[in-house]
Amino acid sequence: MTVTPRRRTRRTALAGAVCALAVSATGLTGCGSDDPDAGTNGVGRLKPEQIQSRTRAAAGSAEAVHLSGTVVTSGRTYTLDMRLKSEGGSGSVTSQGMAFRLLRIGEQLYLKADAGFWDQADGGGDTGAADKLDGKFVKVPQGDPAYRKFSGFTDKDVLLEGLLTLHGELATDGHHEQAGVRTVRITGDKGSGGTLDVSLEGKPYPLRLARAGGAGTLSFSDWGKDFAVRKPAPDETVDYGQQLPAS
């Protein structure tokens, strides 16, 4: 059957109308195109400075987040698996072969570890004290160096503010995928200043960060997904006093 120019025009017009209706109904961009930003939230079309601004704003407005990966600070590598929100956070930290848990509720920070951790922290001088602290949530005094050192790992706003900044001249580095989600990648100084993958689906949340100078790599998930932060029961808690054993 021969398709006349008039029929072809009608078909094109009909396809365009269907596409327009679909875009209007879903709020997505693009239709039937090879455009990598078709059907996305559109941030892939923005300048890298705008993408960074949008993703920082999205992260700041989210009620909660789950982050995991490594952070290198002061020459030490910490492996984190944390769930964070404004009122507090909880999760595990591993460094130099020693693992412990952190829990923060408001301003109160707790640290939970086994006897081996506390024995090492105390230099092996008081195994009795280490046994008493074994498996307990130990209250960390706010004036203790450990409080200043570890509370930042449980503070969503402070942690993200420090992490989600790339250094140097920003540029986009193509479209990628993280955990099945399409992303656009931005870099600082061609990657030496860090790289950040930003979601192209839904809100432009950051999904993966490689920090500048090889200072760790983090993945972000469960944006906006709330979780409970429970104060430990009295029999699970130990108040060590004014200062913990030096770590």
Side-chain angles (χ1 to χ4, degrees):
M1 178 177 121
T2 302
V3 179
T4 65
R6 180 175 295 179
R7 287 181 177 176
R8 187 180 295 111
T9 301
R10 286 177 179 173
R11 289 184 180 180
T12 302
L14 178 61
V18 171
C19 178
L21 287 172
V23 170
S24 175
T26 63
L28 301 176
T29 60
C31 187
S33 132
D34 292 330
D35 180 0
D37 292 298
T40 73
N41 56 25
V43 296
R45 295 190 175 98
L46 302 178
K47 294 180 179 179
E49 294 81 7
Q50 293 174 305
I51 298 173
Q52 178 172 254
S53 177
R54 294 279 185 92
T55 195
R56 286 171 63 91
S61 65
E63 292 296 324
V65 65
H66 176 207
L67 67 86
S68 59
T70 59
V71 172
V72 181
T73 179
S74 300
R76 177 175 290 189
T77 299
Y78 296 92
T79 300
L80 309 178
D81 188 358
M82 304 292 301
R83 295 183 66 87
L84 307 174
K85 59 182 180 179
S86 298
E87 308 94 275
S90 66
S92 64
V93 181
T94 303
S95 180
Q96 295 184 329
M98 301 298 291
F100 55 94
R101 293 191 64 80
L102 293 174
L103 169 66
R104 183 177 63 83
I105 303 173
E107 295 300 316
Q108 182 61 66
L109 178 68
Y110 298 89
L111 192 156
K112 181 179 180 180
D114 62 19
F117 173 92
W118 294 112
D119 188 50
Q120 185 184 70
D122 195 38
D126 190 349
T127 57
D131 289 339
K132 291 178 182 179
L133 301 179
D134 180 28
K136 299 288 187 179
F137 284 97
V138 180
K139 290 183 179 180
V140 182
Q142 293 190 28
D144 190 280
Y147 189 96
R148 295 190 296 272
K149 189 172 188 177
F150 296 133
S151 61
F153 288 156
T154 66
D155 192 316
K156 170 182 172 288
D157 295 332
V158 170
L159 191 59
L160 294 181
E161 179 69 24
L163 290 174
L164 298 179
T165 299
L166 302 178
H167 302 281
E169 184 177 356
L170 298 183
T172 54
D173 187 27
H175 290 65
H176 302 267
E177 186 177 294
Q178 295 295 328
V181 178
R182 289 179 293 172
T183 66
V184 60
R185 181 172 297 169
I186 56 175
T187 66
D189 276 349
K190 299 181 180 179
S192 63
T195 68
L196 184 64
D197 279 53
V198 178
S199 176
L200 289 172
E201 302 177 17
K203 292 187 178 181
Y205 290 127
L207 297 184
R208 183 181 182 276
L209 169 73
R211 300 181 70 203
T217 301
L218 290 166
S219 296
F220 306 89
S221 61
D222 294 338
W223 285 103
K225 187 176 181 179
D226 197 14
F227 61 96
V229 179
R230 181 184 65 85
K231 184 177 180 178
D235 62 352
E236 298 177 299
T237 308
V238 173
D239 191 344
Y240 191 81
Q242 294 300 308
Q243 188 167 347
L244 301 182
S247 175

